[in-house]
Amino acid sequence: MAESRRKPTEAGRSKVRIRVLRYNPDTDKQPAYRDYTVSVEPTDRVLDALNAIKWYQDGSVTYRRSCAHGVCGSDAMRINGVNRLACKVLMRDVGAEVVIEPLMGFRIIKDLVVDMESFFAQYRSVLPYFVNDSRPPERERLQSIEERERFDDTTKCILCAACTTSCPSFWANEEFVGPATIVNAHRFVFDSRDDAAAPRLERLNGREGVWRCRTVFNCTEACPRDIRITQAIGEVKKAIMYGQIA
Amino acid sequence: MIHTHTYDALVVGGGGAGLMSAIYLSRDPSIKTAVISKLYPTRSHTGAAQGGICAALANLEEDHPEWHAFDTVKGSDYLGDQDAIEVMCEEAVDVIIELEHMGLPFSRTPDGKIAQRPFGGHTHHFGQGPVRRSCYAADRTGHMILQTLYQNSIKNGVEFFDEYQVVDVLINQGRCVGVVAYEVSTGDLHVFNAKAVLFSTGGFGRVWSITSNAFANTGDGPAIAFRRGIPLEDMEFYQFHPTGIYKLGILITEGVRGEGGVLRNDLGERFMERYAPTMKDLASRDVVARAINQEIREGRGINGKKYVYLDATHLGKDVIENKLPDIADFCRTYLGVDPVKDPMPIQPTAHYAMGGIPTDMNGRVITDASNTVLEGLYAAGETACVSVHGANRLGTNSLLDLVVFGRRAGLDMARYCLEAEIGPLPENPTADIEATFAALLATTDGEPAARLREELQDVMQDEVGIFREGKGMERARVKIRELQERYAKVVVMDKGTRFNTDLMEAWELGNLLDLAQVTTESAINRTESRGGHMREDYLTRNDAEWLKHTLAYRDARGEIELRYKPVTITKFQPKERVY
């Protein structure tokens, strides 16, 4: 088995079995698991283990990755059955046998790479941008520390889709806008400088909006940025019912 | 399969510089614009920037663009072009206000203005002491800039080609007429014919083994341009950020030191007091990174190992949780260290290219010392060398560079698109890249690309890193040549057309090899120490011979030819640099 010739940097190197759900629609009838054995250090990321496979054993194993420290949102996948970023999970926390599968609910393009277009289309449907058509002042618009804090949590979203694809309501109905879209609406609805809460809330009050949320909390548990998503969804529901935006 | 498209303007790369230019281009609906990005734009590495973006807003204390300009010139070790630096620091104030008007959620002062904090090398009264100049959104300022620009691109209806890798630039009859892109999901090639093309493809930190940069940062834009005869400027100047997480290289923002964090060696000593008596831990990055490595060399790394501590334990839980939440998360996730209670183990990490594709102040690519413009081609952001960073960039000036010069490039491209006709494509525009890919895919018995990449990164880290000397760089030169020969027999295991990232990684390695070669050749030739280029065999700055920019060209035989270009000096005459 080929592997890197770099010297290990710490003690405690061990062999682990990585089971990857593989699927190439050009050549495979259906997805199937394939096992790989790699040597890892306890502080290696799951992404490092995938790289060890791709770089030295099987270059066709396919996944997205970029920043490798949890801020770009490329490598969301199911790791031992839960949605995680592969670059934010350490090998010492997943055991000697790891099962890696693509996010659920999207078409598989190849292996762990899924088609994100429907996800971004939902995102675009809630006006995910700042709207204020009044003439801006010479300098910045003022906003108090408290007003800024009101939507701080939902500004952290990296659009990785870990929340949406962990949601049973989304699995049951792919037309549901999903938690990530609601998070990105929340970010603007509760921004004191923004003027377009009404059309966003109207969209989220529709058939495929917030009312499909059953408060299961999967999204909150899946979020690699620790956004309190279920709480944010609750705040949007209240804003729709009572017009509370402050 | 080959597809053909026609646009007025193309933006290659969906990070801060690219999106800023696209927003400006999209304001005129008659200009047909597309952004082509190898990643979904929100995955771009602009999003990893943490600490802030400087502008002399003076929201908390007296400040002036002229002070900012002086700091930038001094930070650059006097190699930055002062006309461009003045423009950047003047326009900084306006562009930050513009970002706020676009909705960017900056942190706030008690009176509701944009919050500001100190940052390395940024001073009041021309070096008298630190000044609060860095505008920030907690420690995810880059994330907020990237998100805000992407949001505004959607608002303006910008057209995107996501996960398309640009693999060639088309130059015909002396002007740029488009690009060739590889559609990653299908393996199809796309020829884009256009009037104006912007390269904003980011940096190439993946040349080194310890880096803060993303896997995607392989310098595709500069490598493509270089192979088509465009020079690369000042490539010997590469910045190592002082504080990367030990072994992983993940960035720990300078904002930690801006908020009061300090560096300590194995003796517990705040060693920066010895190296920079006035600015201490907030001296410029080249100074701090060298000091850390000097401590490690002299045996004062923690437990004799290759790291020191960044200590923020005295800042208190509130400051860390509210102003530095992401770095707290990184430390807990990757190190099991809680920065509220324990110091963070850090080492310098390869971070930022001061050099790149030479441009004028409007992003237009120039090809020689007399500033001859290559019509239709633009560059902005880390890809470009204006040069506002000279031999060493100040913290926060990268984000500023990409919004100021992304905007200027977008405006000039719009002007050009309205007056220019579209140029004809060259014959067989995809022939070269098809041959390159065919050769990579044909090899069945050879080495994995990863092995070559690791060997390249290790030799660059050891010999063309923070400390350099002639003999070591000669070893790197020989090694890079060996790797370039071995590269001809790299094996791509995935032979398919669907989402073939194996092929993409092998192609990117070719870019890293070319850029490492230019970096090393430029560094060997510069027999002085300046900013990020520190030579142990030439310890001092030598303005008499070396106050000039490097321009590296590839000649017809594939050899690198070095030429030079004068530095623009306006207000600030070079003097000794002390922090």
Side-chain angles (χ1 to χ4, degrees):
Chain A
M1 185 177 81
E3 51 181 65
S4 170
R5 286 179 186 153
R6 276 185 178 154
K7 284 189 195 133
T9 57
E10 63 182 291
R13 214 173 169 79
S14 63
K15 300 261 190 219
V16 293
R17 192 188 71 185
I18 312 278
R19 170 167 287 189
V20 182
L21 189 64
R22 303 289 314 272
Y23 181 49
N24 181 344
D26 293 340
T27 52
D28 306 331
K29 283 203 179 105
Q30 58 191 23
Y33 291 98
R34 181 145 176 219
D35 289 355
Y36 300 89
T37 303
V38 289
S39 173
V40 297
E41 296 179 10
T43 55
D44 277 347
R45 298 157 282 201
V46 170
L47 178 61
D48 295 311
L50 281 172
N51 284 338
I53 296 168
K54 183 175 185 68
W55 294 348
Y56 290 104
Q57 295 182 35
D58 184 348
S60 70
V61 173
T62 303
Y63 45 92
R64 295 188 176 103
R65 85 285 177 273
S66 191
C67 79
H69 64 286
V71 298
C72 81
S74 296
D75 60 352
M77 53 187 74
R78 265 189 305 157
I79 299 171
N80 288 343
V82 292
N83 285 358
R84 291 285 180 266
L85 299 180
C87 63
K88 269 199 100 173
V89 180
L90 302 190
M91 291 307 295
R92 68 177 174 216
D93 297 326
V94 291
E97 296 193 356
V98 188
V99 181
I100 302 181
E101 300 159 303
L103 296 175
M104 284 169 68
F106 295 143
R107 180 179 69 90
I108 297 173
I109 295 175
K110 185 177 165 189
D111 297 343
L112 305 170
V113 175
V114 292
D115 185 346
M116 305 280 289
E117 282 308 319
S118 60
F119 175 80
F120 281 103
Q122 291 286 17
Y123 164 77
R124 288 190 295 267
S125 75
V126 287
L127 316 182
Y129 41 76
F130 184 72
V131 179
N132 183 329
D133 294 332
S134 68
R135 191 185 163 81
E138 288 270 304
R139 296 280 293 207
E140 63 265 52
R141 289 191 166 93
L142 299 180
Q143 182 169 54
S144 72
I145 290 171
E146 294 71 28
E147 287 168 334
R148 169 65 180 75
E149 179 62 25
R150 185 68 192 82
F151 63 102
D152 184 68
D153 204 32
T154 46
T155 65
K156 296 175 186 162
C157 178
I158 55 175
L159 298 167
C160 69
C163 59
T164 294
T165 58
S166 72
C167 173
S169 299
F170 172 74
W171 297 336
N173 173 10
E174 288 172 20
E175 299 299 309
F176 172 41
V177 295
T181 298
I182 304 171
V183 162
N184 281 281
H186 180 283
R187 178 254 171 272
F188 292 103
V189 167
F190 291 93
D191 185 336
S192 57
R193 303 167 299 167
D194 184 271
D195 280 346
R200 291 192 195 99
L201 294 177
E202 191 183 322
R203 158 81 174 135
L204 293 177
N205 193 27
R207 266 174 59 98
E208 312 302 346
V210 288
W211 307 112
R212 294 211 175 258
C213 166
R214 296 287 187 267
T215 335
V216 179
F217 282 91
N218 276 13
C219 53
T220 302
E221 283 176 25
C223 180
R225 304 283 293 153
D226 296 327
I227 300 171
R228 294 178 295 273
I229 301 176
T230 312
Q231 183 181 322
I233 295 173
E235 289 171 0
V236 172
K237 287 177 177 173
K238 271 191 194 159
I240 292 171
M241 283 201 299
Y242 308 117
Q244 287 178 359
I245 294 178
Chain B
M1 197 173 165
I2 299 171
H3 312 259
T4 306
H5 312 261
T6 304
Y7 283 86
D8 293 306
L10 295 172
V11 173
V12 182
L19 294 180
M20 192 70 177
S21 72
I23 287 168
Y24 268 83
L25 284 158
S26 66
R27 286 180 182 177
D28 184 341
S30 76
I31 299 169
K32 197 179 169 204
T33 302
V35 176
I36 309 173
S37 172
K38 75 185 206 177
L39 306 169
Y40 277 101
T42 57
R43 316 298 185 216
S44 304
H45 208 54
T46 298
Q50 297 168 3
I53 175 166
C54 271
L57 298 183
N59 279 355
L60 290 158
E61 59 188 312
E62 183 185 358
D63 199 6
H64 304 279
E66 196 185 3
W67 292 356
H68 187 181
F70 168 78
D71 292 337
T72 302
V73 170
K74 180 178 168 185
S76 81
D77 221 347
Y78 295 91
L79 194 72
D81 288 317
Q82 295 184 15
D83 51 349
I85 289 171
E86 283 174 34
V87 160
M88 181 175 78
C89 297
E90 288 287 341
E91 292 186 8
V93 175
D94 173 61
V95 82
I96 297 296
I97 298 300
E98 183 178 9
L99 289 173
E100 200 280 334
H101 291 168
M102 285 185 190
L104 200 147
F106 283 108
S107 295
R108 298 287 167 158
T109 64
D111 55 356
K113 296 178 184 167
I114 295 169
Q116 297 188 277
R117 64 181 163 204
F119 234 78
H122 289 278
T123 73
H124 61 84
H125 297 94
F126 309 101
Q128 293 300 302
V131 68
R132 284 171 283 180
R133 183 179 292 148
S134 170
C135 311
Y136 62 95
D139 57 350
R140 54 178 184 281
T141 314
H143 166 78
M144 293 320 331
I145 289 176
L146 183 65
Q147 293 287 327
T148 301
L149 295 177
Y150 185 62
Q151 290 156 2
N152 279 272
S153 302
I154 291 173
K155 188 178 185 179
N156 287 13
V158 172
E159 193 175 343
F160 286 97
F161 290 84
D162 296 331
E163 296 185 325
Y164 280 58
Q165 170 73 58
V166 166
V167 287
D168 206 353
V169 60
L170 300 172
I171 294 168
N172 196 19
Q173 300 164 5
R175 61 180 281 212
C176 177
V177 295
V179 297
V180 179
Y182 176 85
E183 184 181 359
V184 180
S185 66
T186 62
D188 289 355
L189 288 174
H190 294 253
V191 175
F192 288 86
N193 192 188
K195 295 175 183 172
V197 174
L198 173 73
F199 269 19
S200 47
T201 64
F204 46 89
R206 287 281 154 183
V207 163
W208 288 268
S209 57
I210 302 289
T211 179
S212 64
N213 280 201
F215 282 108
N217 294 137
T218 51
D220 307 336
I224 290 167
F226 185 62
R227 288 196 283 266
R228 288 292 175 197
I230 294 153
L232 296 179
E233 181 172 352
D234 290 343
M235 291 289 282
E236 62 271 47
F237 298 104
Y238 196 88
Q239 177 167 88
F240 284 73
H241 191 291
T243 56
I245 290 180
Y246 178 49
K247 289 198 289 196
L248 288 168
I250 297 169
L251 182 66
I252 298 292
T253 174
E254 199 168 303
V256 174
R257 284 171 284 139
E259 296 290 350
V262 296
L263 293 162
R264 297 193 189 280
N265 61 19
D266 198 38
L267 308 173
E269 180 194 14
R270 186 181 178 186
F271 57 86
M272 281 313 300
E273 289 176 337
R274 278 190 276 117
Y275 295 90
T278 306
M279 293 296 284
K280 302 187 178 76
D281 300 88
L282 287 175
S284 72
R285 288 180 177 171
D286 56 334
V287 173
V288 180
R290 270 198 294 279
I292 292 169
N293 272 22
Q294 192 64 30
E295 291 297 300
I296 290 169
R297 281 177 155 200
E298 292 174 8
R300 292 188 294 277
I302 306 302
N303 298 319
K305 293 191 177 166
K306 290 186 177 178
Y307 66 93
V308 298
Y309 280 142
L310 173 58
D311 185 357
T313 55
H314 54 291
L315 301 184
K317 194 171 164 61
D318 278 357
V319 168
I320 290 175
E321 300 292 354
N322 293 323
K323 294 187 169 177
L324 305 163
D326 278 5
I327 69 104
D329 181 39
F330 299 152
C331 289
R332 289 168 189 149
T333 300
Y334 298 109
L335 297 165
V337 164
D338 182 353
V340 175
K341 296 181 199 138
D342 304 303
M344 299 165 256
I346 59 91
Q347 70 181 134
T349 182
H351 186 57
Y352 186 87
M354 273 73 74
I357 301 172
T359 70
D360 68 9
M361 281 189 274
N362 291 317
R364 297 186 299 178
V365 171
I366 54 178
T367 56
D368 57 30
S370 46
N371 296 329
T372 305
V373 169
L374 176 56
E375 206 182 317
L377 186 61
Y378 293 75
E382 189 174 346
T383 302
C385 181
V386 183
S387 151
V388 284
H389 309 303
N392 173 68
R393 173 174 71 74
L394 289 191
T396 77
N397 275 352
S398 57
L399 291 176
L400 182 59
D401 173 359
L402 53 87
V403 287
V404 167
F405 293 103
R407 179 167 79 171
R408 292 177 76 90
L411 285 166
D412 201 75
M413 289 168 80
R415 174 198 62 76
Y416 181 74
C417 285
L418 293 177
E419 65 190 36
E421 295 295 319
I422 200 157
L425 288 169
E427 277 185 46
N428 296 324
T430 60
D432 288 350
I433 194 64
E434 286 182 87
T436 301
F437 285 168
L440 283 168
L441 289 165
T443 309
T444 50
D445 185 25
E447 293 182 278
R451 175 152 297 146
L452 273 61
R453 192 168 58 230
E454 286 175 352
E455 289 181 29
L456 174 71
Q457 291 167 341
D458 289 347
V459 76
M460 291 299 287
Q461 188 80 22
D462 290 344
E463 309 294 6
V464 197
I466 293 178
F467 292 113
R468 304 166 171 182
E469 47 93 26
K471 277 186 196 156
M473 289 194 288
E474 192 59 45
R475 277 194 291 277
R477 169 191 267 168
V478 171
K479 180 72 183 181
I480 292 165
R481 285 194 183 242
E482 174 208 309
L483 291 169
Q484 282 172 327
E485 283 168 24
R486 284 163 59 192
Y487 179 66
K489 287 207 176 144
V490 152
V491 172
V492 175
M493 292 178 256
D494 190 340
K495 307 293 185 192
T497 53
R498 179 182 286 260
F499 224 98
N500 190 342
T501 52
D502 198 24
L503 175 64
M504 284 299 96
E505 288 190 15
W507 179 77
E508 288 167 341
L509 171 61
N511 298 338
L512 294 177
L513 284 165
D514 283 353
L515 297 178
Q517 185 187 14
V518 183
T519 301
T520 303
E521 294 298 330
S522 301
I524 287 173
N525 215 47
R526 183 175 285 269
T527 50
E528 66 158 352
S529 288
R530 183 187 298 270
H533 176 65
M534 164 73 193
R535 286 193 63 150
E536 299 194 273
D537 44 0
Y538 297 92
L539 284 167
T540 54
R541 196 176 82 196
N542 178 352
D543 287 335
E545 288 179 72
W546 288 107
L547 186 59
K548 57 189 180 186
H549 298 290
T550 304
L551 289 177
Y553 296 77
R554 187 144 92 167
D555 70 18
R557 295 165 300 142
E559 299 295 319
I560 288 172
E561 184 192 334
L562 299 174
R563 297 178 208 162
Y564 292 89
K565 177 185 142 171
V567 174
T568 305
I569 291 169
T570 56
K571 288 182 187 156
F572 306 111
Q573 287 305 313
K575 50 183 183 184
E576 198 192 350
R577 188 161 159 259
V578 183
Y579 282 100

